[in-house]
């Protein structure tokens, strides 16, 4: 489950994952100040044999460009 966040939101939990038993997956929820926007894609970006979660955020820089983030599916954080 995912949810967008608005600027200044006190709760930054924005991406949740559960295992087959219905328990929150280790490393989740992912906390990110700028939330996410749109579709969450899954691919092996770093060619390590494990999939990553890829999505755009609500954040826009001073030039009007957005940001794309990739997180490891095992909950270990951002992909380098």
């Amino acid at each position: 489950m995912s949810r967008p966040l608005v600027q200044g939101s006190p709760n930054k939990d924005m991406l949740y994952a559960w295992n087959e038993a219905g328990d929150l997956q280790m490393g989740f929820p992912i906390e990110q100040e700028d939330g996410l926007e749109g579709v969450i894609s899954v691919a092996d970006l770093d060619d390590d044999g494990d999939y990553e979660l890829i999505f755009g955020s609500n954040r826009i820089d001073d030039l009007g460009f957005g940001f794309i983030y990739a997180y490891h599916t095992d909950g270990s954080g951002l992909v380098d």
Side-chain angles (χ1 to χ4, degrees), residues 57-75:
S57 76
N58 297 335
R59 182 177 172 199
I60 298 175
D61 70 10
D62 294 337
L63 299 174
F65 293 103
F67 291 80
I68 296 175
Y69 294 95
Y71 281 86
H72 296 282
T73 56
D74 65 4

Side-chain angles (χ1 to χ4, degrees), residues 10 27 35 39 44 46 66 71-72 76:
V39 175
D44 183 5
D46 53 8
Y71 281 86
H72 296 282
S76 63

Side-chain angles (χ1 to χ4, degrees), residues 5-78:
L5 298 173
V6 294
Q7 188 173 10
S9 176
N11 182 354
K12 295 174 179 45
D13 295 347
M14 47 66 78
L15 185 60
Y16 297 79
W18 291 269
N19 63 23
E20 60 277 356
D23 299 317
L24 197 58
Q25 187 73 22
M26 186 194 296
F28 287 86
I30 291 174
E31 296 180 3
Q32 184 172 282
E33 188 169 336
D34 19 329
L36 67 92
E37 188 70 33
V39 175
I40 300 171
S41 299
V42 180
D44 183 5
L45 292 178
D46 53 8
D47 200 28
D48 65 355
D50 294 321
Y51 291 111
E52 287 78 41
L53 304 170
I54 306 104
F55 53 86
S57 76
N58 297 335
R59 182 177 172 199
I60 298 175
D61 70 10
D62 294 337
L63 299 174
F65 293 103
F67 291 80
I68 296 175
Y69 294 95
Y71 281 86
H72 296 282
T73 56
D74 65 4
S76 63
L78 279 168

